[in-house]
Amino acid sequence: MSSDIELTANWLRRAKSAVVFTGAGISTESGIPDFRSPGGVWSKYRTVYFDEFCRSAQARHEYWTQKIEAHVAFAAADPNIGHQTIAKWEEQGRIRGVITQNIDGLHQIAGSQNVLELHGTAREVTCLDCDWRSPVDPFVTQFRETNEVPLCPECGDGRLKHATVSFGQVLPELTLNRALRWCQEADLVITVGSSLVVYPAAGLPEAGKRNGAKLVIINRDETGLDTIADMLIPGSCGEALTAIDAAI
Ligand code: NAD
Ligand code: ZN
């Protein structure tokens, strides 16, 4: 076992307020492509910006068509050993919770309770006109069958959108503030499977480090915060988390 893994396990064992921060890389081992994978939904379609979605029925149709394709990957995915290990650490009281950029809901399915979803969730829809929320599945079915964008059943004709943060849309303020507080109060921040280049999300582990936390980065490729990290663990998220867990 490498000494880096042992040292990280030591930090985690002693931590009083550790936080895990995850990105798309933790879910690739569940079969969901990350942002940069060639051939993924992300590289195939143009981005529908939030303001377009709001004002154009055609853009809403385009958005729903894209989301339906992404939904297939989500619906078939199960949490992997990485999600499970993070859930276990929370249950054992080793971490305060997990801050995620992911919209796939796999942390909750793995059993994590304290999850801050910075970019919302694709498992629900929300009405832009009355704030109503509901599980996404019936609306996916409806769109597939009718090829018409579903309207909000609560207010009658509200614009329904997946409860995710679109490009051009602001992050949920309460969630972002809470995540910032977790990081500022943390003595250890472990980032898993994030390129740490998407802001404001990447600013959170950075804020943790600035306020005295140790920063551990688990990622296959280079990240935007490698230069300030206390520990870099390159390679598979699942393997790294399993190894740390075994060393605790
Ligand atoms: P990113 O795509 O920018 O970075 C993912 C990182 O994970 C990459 O640096 C890659 O090298 C690494 N990686 C991929 N598979 C790995 C593995 N098995 N082991 C170790 N490292 C691995 O993702 P990001 O930082 O989360 O930012 C992209 C944005 O896209 C986020 O805002 C997120 O909301 C969104 N997104 C979410 C999902 C999801 O919910 N699963 C999927 C794609 C994109
Ligand atoms: Zn509504």
Side-chain angles (χ1 to χ4, degrees):
M1 190 181 307
S2 93
S3 57
D4 285 354
I5 296 286
E6 263 174 46
L7 189 54
T8 304
N10 247 323
W11 290 342
L12 183 56
R13 201 166 42 225
R14 292 200 197 128
K16 302 251 178 310
S17 54
V19 169
V20 173
F21 175 98
T22 64
I26 194 171
S27 293
T28 58
E29 288 165 31
S30 290
I32 301 174
D34 66 14
F35 205 58
R36 285 163 181 79
S37 298
V41 174
W42 298 81
S43 57
K44 203 159 124 192
Y45 290 117
R46 79 174 190 100
T47 303
V48 177
Y49 286 86
F50 184 61
D51 67 320
E52 282 179 88
F53 183 95
C54 290
R55 65 182 147 76
S56 151
Q58 196 192 329
R60 286 196 284 283
H61 189 274
E62 194 178 349
Y63 171 95
W64 270 86
T65 305
Q66 296 180 10
K67 284 288 180 177
I68 294 301
E69 194 168 319
H71 187 83
V72 177
F74 283 101
D78 290 316
N80 63 58
I81 190 73
H83 300 101
Q84 286 158 359
T85 303
I86 292 167
K88 179 170 129 188
W89 288 349
E90 182 188 320
E91 204 190 332
Q92 293 173 334
R94 296 192 192 284
I95 60 170
R96 186 170 186 173
V98 54
I99 301 168
T100 188
Q101 300 172 91
N102 295 345
I103 55 174
D104 56 35
L106 291 182
H107 285 300
Q108 289 91 331
I109 296 174
S112 286
Q113 307 271 329
N114 295 327
V115 185
L116 299 181
E117 294 177 310
L118 296 173
H119 297 158
T121 176
R123 301 223 175 237
E124 288 182 40
V125 286
T126 182
C127 174
L128 297 182
D129 298 286
C130 78
D131 272 348
W132 183 76
R133 281 174 87 100
S134 182
V136 73
D137 296 290
F139 297 97
V140 169
T141 308
Q142 192 182 328
F143 181 81
R144 274 217 189 96
E145 285 171 358
T146 62
N147 196 31
E148 275 176 33
V149 176
L151 298 175
C152 172
E154 182 69 14
C155 67
D157 66 349
R159 296 158 297 175
L160 280 187
K161 185 184 158 304
H162 286 63
T164 55
V165 177
S166 290
F167 288 97
Q169 193 176 7
V170 291
L171 271 67
E173 197 184 351
L174 208 71
T175 307
L176 186 60
N177 285 343
R178 200 171 286 162
L180 181 61
R181 181 165 168 201
W182 281 16
C183 288
Q184 287 171 334
E185 291 174 356
D187 49 7
L188 175 66
V189 177
I190 304 177
T191 77
V192 185
S194 173
S195 57
L196 301 172
V197 293
V198 181
Y199 279 79
L204 295 167
E206 206 174 7
K209 172 69 186 168
R210 236 188 355 258
N211 283 272
K214 283 202 157 49
L215 176 61
V216 175
I217 296 180
I218 300 172
N219 206 58
R220 205 170 51 196
D221 300 307
E222 281 178 13
T223 82
L225 298 182
D226 283 2
T227 51
I228 62 163
D230 296 279
M231 176 72 72
L232 296 176
I233 304 179
S236 143
C237 298
E239 281 172 22
L241 290 168
T242 310
I244 295 164
D245 188 53
I248 291 177

